[in-house]
Amino acid sequence: MIAVLLLLILQPGPVSATWSVTFENSDPCGLKGSSVEFRCSYNYTDGETVTNTAWHKGGLKDKQWKRFKLSELPSYQNRSEYIGDQQHDCSLAIHDLQDNDTGYYYFRFDTGKYGRHSKESVYLSVTELISARVNPDRVRAGDTVTLECTTSCQLPSIVWFKDGRPLAKPEFQAQTEDAGNYACALKGQESVLSDPVALDVQYAPKKVTLSMSPSGDVVKGNLVTLTCSSDANPPVTQSGYRLYKDRQFISSGLNHTISDVQPGHSGLYHCQAWNNIGDFVNSTEVHLDVQYGPVNISVSMNPPHIVGGSSVNLTCNSAANPAADNYTWYRGQLLPAPWSRWAQDR
């Protein structure tokens, strides 16, 4: 028997190097005007030295898919920033995102031996905050309000602003001071806000006041106007105001004018306000004090009948506001009665 020995001789030759590019976020989504980062790492065989790194964007040219170096694209000048290194970090940042930044991105690195393109790509979606929503957008004080921010991206964290100031919670019980404009933004990109939406908080009248013009002394015969006002949402209409004098209804409306004020108009006035929310709300009372000079002057004598040599008290009475504080007395010379003159002629 003859034995056959086969000898396999391995000849030295080129061997495929082991390398990889890994994207941590292969489908990032960024807001227009904000910044986005592609988190990326790469590896290669020991002994190699990285000599060059570059990011490319894929696109069609002459109906063929090609990769264009970002550093050579004018639209990316001063907006793309390589934040990796020439060892294992290949991260990229793109600032001030624009609509046409949407697309596929590739990483390439060169060593002294090889030039390698990433086999996979990063697909970037650029979007805008579609809408900020206040639900519901019209409430009464005490009702619950929920803020919603929607976009085509799956955003990790949303922050809210009211009239430009940060808001702690997206759900709350509305109070009068919560009325205003609300906008949302991506956390970390607060400079890019959604269009604002308004919250209308309705409430019953408060700070109901009754004012009088003129506000000082009111003299008989002059004109005086009583005006009711309030803070309410919706505002109180003309028919929502009522005026009372000494708790008796006088008229409806915002203003009540007395063109020829008389002493009988003196008294305590207050108004009520109502705007279909809650009950009527009363103002504080305003005192109308009509001033006038003495009228109905009369003199009384006590005792009413006297004899010579006795004492008598004379009293002067009048109606006045303010009350008369000074009286002047006169003693008149009475003419004789006709029969007395006839007797003297006899």
Side-chain angles (χ1 to χ4, degrees):
M1 179 180 292
I2 299 174
V4 178
L5 178 64
L6 296 176
L7 179 64
L8 179 63
I9 301 176
L10 297 177
Q11 297 292 332
V15 179
S16 298
T18 302
W19 64 277
S20 66
V21 176
T22 303
F23 301 125
E24 295 181 16
N25 50 342
S26 58
D27 296 302
C29 186
L31 299 177
K32 185 177 179 180
S34 68
S35 299
V36 68
E37 288 187 9
F38 302 159
R39 307 305 304 177
C40 170
S41 61
Y42 64 108
N43 290 296
Y44 43 89
T45 57
D46 293 339
E48 290 188 77
T49 300
V50 176
T51 58
N52 185 53
T53 58
W55 277 87
H56 295 70
K57 183 180 180 183
L60 290 175
K61 185 177 182 181
D62 300 329
K63 298 182 179 181
Q64 291 186 346
W65 187 259
K66 295 186 177 181
R67 301 181 183 187
F68 303 91
K69 196 173 183 180
L70 291 187
S71 59
E72 296 176 355
L73 294 176
S75 62
Y76 286 87
Q77 295 297 316
N78 301 320
R79 293 198 305 118
S80 63
E81 178 186 6
Y82 183 69
I83 55 177
D85 53 36
Q86 290 191 336
Q87 295 179 354
H88 297 287
D89 188 349
C90 51
S91 299
L92 174 74
I94 301 178
H95 306 291
D96 189 21
L97 290 174
Q98 303 300 315
D99 291 331
N100 56 9
D101 291 336
T102 296
Y104 295 90
Y105 293 80
Y106 304 85
F107 176 67
R108 173 191 172 96
F109 69 97
D110 299 327
T111 67
K113 296 181 179 180
Y114 307 101
R116 300 184 174 98
H117 279 290
S118 61
K119 299 176 182 178
E120 304 296 331
S121 63
V122 175
Y123 184 79
L124 170 64
S125 299
V126 179
T127 185
E128 298 185 31
L129 287 175
I130 297 175
S131 64
R133 182 184 177 193
V134 178
N135 185 28
D137 59 0
R138 176 174 292 175
V139 297
R140 292 188 177 185
D143 290 349
T144 299
V145 173
T146 302
L147 304 177
E148 300 174 356
C149 189
T150 58
T151 179
S152 58
C153 286
Q154 193 70 21
L155 300 178
S157 183
I158 294 293
V159 290
W160 282 91
F161 296 86
K162 175 187 176 289
D163 296 329
R165 297 183 178 181
L167 188 68
K169 297 179 179 180
E171 184 173 306
F172 52 88
Q173 286 187 315
Q175 303 301 321
T176 56
E177 61 271 17
D178 293 321
N181 292 314
Y182 290 79
C184 58
L186 176 64
K187 187 175 182 180
Q189 303 295 334
E190 288 83 354
S191 60
V192 184
L193 294 174
S194 68
D195 291 334
V197 289
L199 172 63
D200 183 20
V201 181
Q202 298 187 334
Y203 52 92
K206 58 183 181 178
K207 300 178 182 178
V208 181
T209 59
L210 179 64
S211 60
M212 184 172 62
S213 177
S215 59
D217 297 339
V218 179
V219 179
K220 175 186 174 182
N222 287 353
L223 180 146
V224 64
T225 299
L226 298 164
T227 301
C228 195
S229 62
S230 66
D231 175 17
N233 185 24
V236 178
T237 62
Q238 283 281 346
S239 60
Y241 287 110
R242 295 179 179 179
L243 182 66
Y244 293 81
K245 174 182 179 289
D246 297 329
R247 307 281 177 104
Q248 298 296 315
F249 174 77
I250 295 178
S251 65
S252 296
L254 181 66
N255 299 304
H256 180 79
T257 299
I258 306 172
S259 58
D260 183 17
V261 68
Q262 297 297 315
H265 291 122
S266 295
L268 290 174
Y269 292 78
H270 79 274
C271 70
Q272 290 182 336
W274 183 62
N275 66 345
N276 296 322
I277 298 178
D279 298 324
F280 278 93
V281 180
N282 292 329
S283 72
T284 55
E285 291 184 321
V286 172
H287 184 214
L288 173 58
D289 189 24
V290 181
Q291 298 188 347
Y292 54 95
V295 295
N296 301 327
I297 302 172
S298 63
V299 176
S300 61
M301 183 174 65
N302 187 27
H305 305 286
I306 60 173
V307 296
S310 62
S311 298
V312 65
N313 288 326
L314 300 175
T315 302
C316 187
N317 297 294
S318 67
N321 184 26
D325 58 3
N326 184 34
Y327 291 89
T328 302
W329 285 89
Y330 296 88
R331 179 184 177 188
Q333 180 67 41
L334 296 178
L335 293 176
W339 64 270
S340 298
R341 295 198 302 271
W342 179 82
Q344 291 174 359
D345 293 340
R346 296 282 296 187

